[in-house]
Amino acid sequence: MVAKKVHEYFGEILIRNGRLDNEKLGHALSLQRKSGTGGLTGQILVNSGYIKEEDVTLGLAAQYGFPFLPLDEYNVDGSLMNILPGEFAQKHGIVPVEKTGNSLSIAMANPLERKVVKEIREITKCHVTVFICTQKAIKNKIDLLYKHTDKPSGIRAAAEREVL
C-alpha cells in the first residue's frame, strides 16, 4: 500500500523545511528541463551539492507520508536476513528490519515501488510495513548483514574452490 501524496511539490517541502532556497530549486529545475530526460529533482539537487541525500529522503517521507528510519542507527537482528535472499535485497535496495508475528517491517530508499513490496508480501507471507531511508544507509546495512550469508554459485564458486 502506497502512502498518500501530500498536495505539495517536493521542492516546496524542502524550502518549507529550510533545506533549500528558491534560487537553487529554480536552477535544479532548469537543469532538469535542459537535460531532456527529466531526471529526478532530488538527484539533481544532490549532484549539484545543494542538499544531502538525507534531505531528499526526508522530503519524500513528508511528501508521501512514509515514516523515516535512520537505518545506520538501527540494530537489525541478523536472523532476519533469512527472510529475504541477499540477491533480492541488493537488487531492490531492501533491508528487513523487524518481524513480529505475521508483520514484517522493511526499510527501502524507494518505497513507491509497489511491485517490489507486493513481491515481498508474496515471498514472506507477511503484512509489510515500509520505512524510507537513504540509499547509502541501505547499501551499508546490506553490505554488513548479507556479506557472509550469500554463497557463491556456478563458475565463480568453482574458481574460488580452485584458489583455496
Side-chain angles (χ1 to χ4, degrees):
M1 175 184 248
V2 174
K4 289 185 178 182
K5 182 177 179 180
V6 173
H7 296 289
E8 188 175 20
Y9 289 109
F10 176 72
E12 293 172 344
I13 292 169
L14 294 174
I15 290 169
R16 180 175 42 84
N17 291 336
R19 303 291 185 183
L20 188 64
D21 61 40
N22 282 317
E23 183 180 333
K24 290 175 182 173
L25 175 61
H27 181 252
L29 293 174
S30 173
L31 291 173
Q32 187 179 43
R33 282 189 298 276
K34 288 178 185 175
S35 75
T37 61
L40 297 173
T41 306
Q43 192 61 52
I44 293 168
L45 290 165
V46 170
N47 291 346
S48 298
Y50 295 150
I51 62 174
K52 297 176 183 174
E53 182 187 8
E54 187 170 303
D55 297 325
V56 172
T57 304
L58 291 171
L60 290 173
Q63 186 176 26
Y64 289 97
F66 288 103
F68 174 74
L69 179 68
L71 192 58
D72 286 333
E73 300 170 16
Y74 195 86
N75 290 324
V76 176
D77 180 356
S79 69
L80 291 176
M81 300 311 102
N82 297 324
I83 291 174
L84 292 175
E87 186 177 306
F88 182 89
Q90 289 175 343
K91 178 180 178 184
H92 298 290
I94 297 163
V95 174
V97 293
E98 189 172 284
K99 185 174 185 307
T100 306
N102 197 32
S103 294
L104 175 67
S105 296
I106 62 168
M108 46 190 314
N110 185 0
L112 298 176
E113 294 179 344
R114 292 182 230 181
K115 289 181 182 179
V116 174
V117 175
K118 181 181 178 187
E119 192 171 348
I120 293 168
R121 283 189 194 107
E122 291 170 2
I123 290 170
T124 64
K125 308 292 186 230
C126 289
H127 169 75
V128 178
T129 301
V130 179
F131 290 85
I132 189 171
C133 65
T134 64
Q135 186 71 36
K136 182 180 178 184
I138 291 281
K139 183 189 178 322
N140 290 344
K141 198 61 81 169
I142 287 173
D143 288 350
L144 176 70
L145 295 170
Y146 283 101
K147 68 181 175 183
H148 299 297
T149 60
D150 284 341
K151 306 234 182 322
S153 60
I155 296 169
R156 193 172 120 220
E160 287 181 5
R161 281 193 299 273
E162 288 177 16
V163 171
L164 297 175

